[in-house]
Amino acid sequence: MSTVPTAVITGASSGIGAATARRLAAAGYRVVLTARRKDRIEALAAELTEAGHEAVPYALDVTDRAAVEALAASLDRYGPVRVLVNNAGGALGTEPVASADPADWRSMYEVNVLGVLHITQALLPALTASGDGTVVVLSSTAGLATYEGGGGYVAAKHGAHVIAETLRLELCGQPVRVIEIAPGMVKTEEFALTRYRGDQDKAAAVYAGVAEPLTADDVADTVTWAVTRPPHVNIDLLVVRPRAQASNYKVHRES
Ligand code: NDP
């Protein structure tokens, strides 16, 4: 069996997930790329394979429990999984609590909370068997503090934060560490566009005047740094924001 360590990344078809896959592949991991859009993860796997890395595309909806379990079973051939990056997620809408659509809240809870639960539960036996497993939860600064119009996303990301905190307590004494990375403003191609349901102008306004929002690669660099610390070092929670952002509220914009 190969000794190359395996890292599973959810939401690897775009943004932070794709950038993290590139970084972890460069760091020597066999990367298993999962997301719903098969064409995108296949293209990324081809790019990484061409560059001499091991990359496996696997189409997956993290809200589908049976599909997640099938993924876990399919990974046996590679030996124990060393790293799981729970990155799949996102926001839908900015409506206030008074008028938000419960269906949006349900969708956000499904992917940002239950998605993390499904795949973490499915891969935990393999992560433990590896002797030095790492679970990464990509939460958000929205998982630590709220803002107007954030309600459903903030509630969901608080859920992801609580999974990381609770799991770390429950796994204490076992060879699996739990790392939470909480980014602030990251300019990715799709995050704001998804949140504003395809409205390009509203999505662009999120980053208007901000000289240097974080990039997907900035966050991927942070994830990779945390994952590549010696196994006994646990970066519990790392908040990373652009210099122009001091809190969810305070963002410096140049006019
Ligand atoms: P993107 O919208 O670019 O990426 C989201 C990824 O999640 C996509 O690859 C998408 O792939 C995947 N995804 C969504 N739903 C599902 C699902 N049901 N099953 C499997 N995969 C799914 O956003 P970012 O890269 O910006 O964000 C990545 C993570 O970081 C998210 O959890 C986000 O909440 C968090 N974050 C982002 C910040 C930002 O400012 N951008 C700030 C803080 C945190 P596909 O559609 O192909 O399934």
Side-chain angles (χ1 to χ4, degrees):
M1 196 174 282
S2 163
T3 53
V4 177
T6 299
V8 176
I9 300 123
T10 67
S13 60
S14 64
I16 294 167
T20 299
R22 288 190 175 97
R23 286 257 178 189
L24 288 178
Y29 287 88
R30 171 192 300 107
V31 286
V32 178
L33 314 172
T34 74
R36 292 167 302 180
R37 285 171 295 177
K38 196 164 177 251
D39 54 334
R40 283 184 163 243
I41 50 173
E42 282 179 350
L44 180 54
E47 172 200 313
L48 293 173
T49 304
E50 178 76 13
H53 305 303
E54 282 193 58
V56 182
Y58 192 104
L60 180 75
D61 182 335
V62 290
T63 68
D64 181 340
R65 178 79 188 201
V68 168
E69 283 170 3
L71 163 73
S74 82
L75 296 177
D76 285 350
R77 78 189 85 155
Y78 302 122
V81 175
R82 288 281 285 279
V83 175
L84 164 63
V85 181
N86 281 296
N87 164 78
L92 270 181
T94 53
E95 292 77 15
V97 172
S99 57
D101 184 345
D104 287 341
W105 284 49
R106 193 170 293 118
S107 294
M108 288 189 278
Y109 193 84
E110 285 276 349
V111 62
N112 292 291
V113 182
L114 296 181
V116 174
L117 180 70
H118 291 319
I119 195 150
T120 302
Q121 287 184 336
L123 294 186
L124 213 41
L127 288 159
T128 307
S130 79
D132 281 316
T134 299
V135 176
V136 178
V137 176
L138 242 301
S139 63
S140 168
T141 51
L144 307 173
T146 194
Y147 52 92
E148 294 99 321
Y153 181 59
V154 168
K157 285 300 190 186
H158 273 67
H161 168 67
V162 167
I163 290 177
E165 296 266 281
T166 311
L167 189 61
R168 194 178 304 114
L169 290 169
E170 292 170 352
L171 293 180
C172 187
Q174 295 186 48
V176 181
R177 59 186 174 175
V178 181
I179 295 172
E180 178 181 359
I181 307 289
M185 181 186 282
V186 190
K187 189 172 182 184
T188 55
E189 279 175 30
E190 300 187 0
F191 178 83
L193 209 53
T194 303
R195 180 167 220 172
Y196 288 102
R197 307 175 209 282
D199 186 323
Q200 301 270 3
D201 293 340
K202 284 185 178 169
V206 171
Y207 310 104
V210 181
E212 284 180 292
L214 294 179
T215 64
D217 189 55
D218 291 328
V219 181
D221 183 31
T222 304
V223 171
T224 304
W225 175 80
V227 164
T228 54
R229 294 313 84 209
H232 69 286
V233 177
N234 199 142
I235 307 298
D236 282 12
L237 168 63
L238 200 156
V239 177
V240 51
R241 301 184 203 262
R243 190 174 57 189
Q245 183 184 33
S247 78
N248 287 353
Y249 282 102
K250 190 168 173 69
V251 179
H252 178 70
R253 295 181 194 271
E254 293 165 5
S255 49

